[in-house]
Amino acid sequence: MTKSNILTDTFGRKHNYLRISLTERCNLRCTYCMPADGITLSPKAHIMTYEEIYTIAKDFVDHGVTKIRLTGGEPLIRKDAGQIIEKLASLPVQLTLTTNGVIVDTFIDLFKKCGIKTLNVSLDSLDATKNKEITRRNYFDKVYQNILLLVREGFHVKVNCVLMKGFNDNEIIDFINLSKNLPLHVRFIEFMPFDGNQWNMDKLVSLQEILSEVNSQFEETEIIKLEDAPNDTTKSYQIQGYQGTFAIISSVTNPFCDGCNRIRLTANGQIKNCLFSSKESDLLTPLREGKSISPIIQKTIQSKFKIRSGMDTLDKFKKTDGHNNRSMITIGG
């Protein structure tokens, strides 16, 4: 296989989007992301250095990656996060990141300098008490004000909300109404199974349930279906007259695997060809041994299943509890 197409799998999907986790650490403790009793962190020596992150990223870019997203944990709490961002900004890619928003205000000038225009900010409730319950920390006001700050500073802001039945599913319309007078792009994410997050289908708020709630509050003529790009994970909508939009990421009930162009690099240098895959490929060890990592990347891409790591039906998916996978915090979204 030639250099130009090692990122194309056996189903013809071209993987031009790399998500890099900078750290397994976080300043929040979100229930759907981290087990209640915490996680065992990788030893520091097993975590990629900023030079190793750049070297691996450049290899991917040389093979056709055009977009890089930084994730975590919380990527911005890593001490050399700024240095990493500046280094990756020198590559010919669209650079962006996902953050919990707690300290994002201290990076605004750097983001502008590095050409970052779009940010995803996690916020799972507009109620401060509920937000504290799900994050196990009291940062709601700071995060909300930082979202408004990012908008004022001209960033394209996507607000990620993981919906859970009986907890925040009564806030769907409140979140959509955030986009009325602000150019915010709200994304509702179906609750997904990962190690330690107590997932089950009863907690899931499905694509159809979200749309049913929207249809009960707005007239059919007010709900505009927007055109989705070929590799979008979302089904996007806009309420007529609203500045922003809302979208649904239906990884469980309506997966978008046909257009998948993503590959994930964990903070300890493992690549995953699917968010739900329990299998990983080690890039860091051969890199440190001076070996080429391209054959490993190629083999990982070629072994990718057509749908959700082989869970091609909802019944198969229901049987998983995430225990064959990492906790979300150590994958990096």
Side-chain angles (χ1 to χ4, degrees):
M1 183 164 284
T2 63
K3 181 175 182 178
S4 61
N5 65 1
I6 74 165
L7 296 183
T8 300
D9 69 12
T10 56
F11 302 99
R13 295 174 294 197
K14 297 179 180 179
H15 296 74
N16 64 341
Y17 180 6
L18 176 65
R19 302 171 69 101
I20 305 175
S21 174
L22 298 189
T23 179
E24 298 172 351
R25 298 177 182 273
C26 190
N27 44 4
L28 300 183
R29 295 291 184 270
C30 297
T31 57
Y32 56 83
C33 184
M34 181 183 286
D37 53 356
I39 61 166
T40 301
L41 295 169
S42 298
K44 186 176 180 180
H46 294 182
I47 299 295
M48 296 182 293
T49 65
Y50 93 92
E51 294 97 341
E52 289 165 342
I53 291 171
Y54 174 78
T55 300
I56 294 174
K58 187 177 185 305
D59 199 283
F60 273 98
V61 171
D62 288 344
H63 289 302
V65 160
T66 57
K67 179 178 180 179
I68 292 177
R69 176 177 299 280
L70 303 180
T71 67
E74 169 49 44
L76 297 180
I77 67 170
R78 180 164 163 156
K79 290 180 180 179
D80 57 355
Q83 190 176 13
I84 294 169
I85 290 169
E86 285 196 78
K87 190 71 171 171
L88 293 178
S90 69
L91 295 171
V93 294
Q94 176 191 349
L95 185 62
T96 183
L97 71 148
T98 296
T99 173
N100 60 33
V102 175
I103 59 173
V104 75
D105 51 309
T106 64
F107 286 84
I108 285 177
D109 290 341
L110 178 66
F111 292 159
K112 290 181 177 180
K113 175 185 175 183
C114 294
I116 294 176
K117 297 179 173 65
T118 301
L119 294 164
N120 289 14
V121 183
S122 300
L123 184 68
D124 299 305
S125 178
L126 297 174
D127 179 280
T129 301
K130 284 203 293 187
N131 195 73
K132 183 177 180 181
E133 181 181 342
I134 195 168
T135 64
R136 305 186 183 110
R137 295 294 185 270
N138 190 22
Y139 285 123
F140 171 77
D141 289 336
K142 183 72 183 297
V143 172
Y144 189 78
Q145 290 304 315
N146 277 344
I147 289 172
L148 299 180
L149 175 62
L150 289 169
V151 170
R152 289 197 303 272
E153 292 290 337
F155 291 93
H156 182 93
V157 181
K158 299 177 182 179
V159 177
N160 289 346
C161 173
V162 176
L163 288 176
M164 286 162 283
K165 193 164 291 183
F167 180 74
N168 60 353
D169 55 330
N170 63 337
E171 297 186 64
I172 292 171
I173 303 305
D174 293 335
F175 269 101
I176 291 175
N177 284 335
L178 274 183
S179 71
K180 182 175 184 178
N181 299 314
L182 291 169
L184 287 174
H185 306 276
V186 177
R187 292 137 54 91
F188 299 113
I189 303 172
E190 290 183 342
F191 184 34
M192 295 176 283
F194 296 99
D195 187 28
N197 74 353
Q198 308 300 311
W199 182 87
N200 65 62
M201 282 293 291
D202 293 338
K203 298 178 182 178
L204 184 97
V205 185
S206 70
L207 166 75
Q208 289 304 320
E209 288 172 315
I210 296 167
L211 290 177
S212 177
E213 178 68 12
V214 174
N215 287 324
S216 73
Q217 297 295 321
F218 296 99
E219 297 293 333
E220 185 178 347
T221 53
E222 293 180 290
I223 306 167
I224 303 165
K225 178 68 182 75
L226 303 176
E227 185 175 350
D228 300 311
N231 299 119
D232 275 354
T233 61
T234 57
K235 291 175 174 56
S236 300
Y237 302 83
Q238 185 173 38
I239 302 301
Q240 188 174 26
Y242 280 30
Q243 287 190 42
T245 65
F246 73 95
I248 304 165
I249 300 177
S250 52
S251 305
V252 177
T253 64
N254 198 346
F256 34 79
C257 303
D258 284 350
C260 184
N261 64 339
R262 295 155 190 79
I263 189 164
R264 290 168 168 81
L265 176 64
T266 66
N268 62 346
Q270 310 290 312
I271 52 172
K272 295 172 72 75
N273 62 17
C274 176
L275 182 60
F276 299 110
S277 175
S278 59
K279 295 182 179 179
E280 302 174 350
S281 300
D282 181 11
L283 293 186
L284 189 54
T285 299
L287 180 73
R288 289 178 174 176
E289 293 173 348
K291 299 176 182 176
S292 172
I293 61 173
S294 295
I296 302 169
I297 295 171
Q298 175 182 327
K299 185 176 180 180
T300 300
I301 295 293
Q302 292 302 298
S303 65
K304 185 167 183 171
F305 284 93
K306 185 176 182 180
I307 296 177
R308 277 188 317 216
S309 193
M311 293 178 286
D312 51 3
T313 67
L314 191 56
D315 282 341
K316 287 181 183 178
F317 195 83
K318 287 178 181 178
K319 292 176 182 177
T320 182
D321 57 7
H323 285 295
N324 291 326
N325 203 352
R326 295 179 179 230
S327 300
M328 187 64 165
I329 190 169
T330 66
I331 296 175

